[in-house]
Amino acid sequence: MLSLSACLPVVAQVKKATTAGGGARTASNSTPVNLKTTQDSLSYAIGLSVANFYKQQNITNINTSLVVKAINDVNKKSKLLLDEQQANQCIVSYMQKAKAEKSAGNKKVGEEFLAANKTKPGVVTTASGLQYTILKEGTGPKPSLTDKVKVHYHGTLIDGRVFDSSVDRGQPIELSVNGVIPGWTEALQLMPVGSKWKLFIPSSLAYGDQQAGALITPGSTLIFDVELLDIVK
């Protein structure tokens, strides 16, 4: 949050927006703009906040003239083109559609990866669609659904990017078998203590259509190296 002292008058260079074909905005010649008062700076800061919201949500092709109109309509108590419920529904519908489109693309890539992966030597595919290979076979007991276990893990996307790793941190973690994603819950109950498996987890057994951190986008297939160190008593 900006402090009041951050809203002091400044001089900025802004670009006039012109309308191009299809409603897109193109930048033309720059014009000096003076933020002469705290109110000017606050107004510009609000604009930056709105723009950053669009960016964070991957919302593109915004008609900024209608954004300004909406602000003016509220301030001038003019007749609104949408009521609050309609406005919220527009935003929710747009976000759901964008998420579904992104998820569908990731799922297709993941399904193609898993279809090819299941034909490789040593890969086991369960009825749920979970795939795994045994890197080291343990000889200890298998955890039950209600057990707590100590594990080391290394998680990547199918393109090799690492999103989380207790191995890299040098510190194993303790977790509940029934408190993790479904692919883990299934695999842990199949693994004897002392085992190390590589898991290939479809999105339906991972985070589904949800974003999970910066790298795990909706519909992502995940890969984990999991070493089951112990059942915690």
Side-chain angles (χ1 to χ4, degrees), residues 154-167:
H154 183 75
T156 70
L157 304 178
I158 59 177
D159 63 8
R161 285 180 293 168
V162 178
F163 57 81
D164 193 14
S165 175
S166 70
V167 175

Side-chain angles (χ1 to χ4, degrees), residues 87-220:
N88 288 336
Q89 186 58 49
C90 280
I91 294 171
V92 170
S93 296
Y94 180 93
M95 299 299 294
Q96 289 177 338
K97 181 181 178 183
K99 182 185 289 187
E101 289 174 350
K102 188 169 189 178
S103 179
N106 285 340
K107 286 178 181 177
K108 184 175 185 298
V109 172
E111 288 166 359
E112 292 171 350
F113 170 83
L114 292 170
N117 191 61
K118 72 186 298 184
T119 65
K120 295 180 179 178
V123 175
V124 178
T125 303
T126 70
S128 69
L130 172 70
Q131 296 180 3
Y132 65 87
T133 57
I134 299 174
L135 305 178
K136 181 177 72 172
E137 185 66 83
T139 57
K142 295 178 182 179
S144 67
L145 183 63
T146 57
D147 279 335
K148 191 171 186 179
V149 296
K150 179 185 286 187
V151 299
H152 245 327
Y153 68 92
H154 183 75
T156 70
L157 304 178
I158 59 177
D159 63 8
R161 285 180 293 168
V162 178
F163 57 81
D164 193 14
S165 175
S166 70
V167 175
D168 289 350
R169 291 192 297 272
Q171 182 65 49
I173 68 167
E174 295 182 2
L175 49 83
S176 298
V177 174
N178 62 1
V180 289
I181 58 176
W184 268 60
T185 296
E186 179 181 351
L188 287 170
Q189 294 177 87
L190 300 173
M191 296 175 67
V193 170
S195 296
K196 184 176 181 181
W197 288 13
K198 182 179 287 290
L199 309 181
F200 307 90
I201 304 180
S203 64
S204 60
L205 299 177
Y207 295 98
D209 292 335
Q210 301 303 311
Q211 182 86 23
L215 292 181
I216 302 177
T217 54
S220 291

Side-chain angles (χ1 to χ4, degrees), residues 33-74:
V33 173
N34 294 319
L35 303 181
K36 297 179 180 179
T37 66
T38 298
Q39 199 68 18
D40 289 346
S41 295
L42 175 62
S43 299
Y44 189 74
I46 290 171
L48 289 177
S49 178
V50 172
N52 283 327
F53 170 79
Y54 295 151
K55 184 177 181 180
Q56 290 166 5
Q57 302 300 324
N58 294 316
I59 299 175
T60 57
N61 299 323
I62 296 300
N63 189 329
T64 54
S65 64
L66 287 176
V67 174
V68 173
K69 175 175 172 53
I71 293 171
N72 288 335
D73 285 349
V74 171

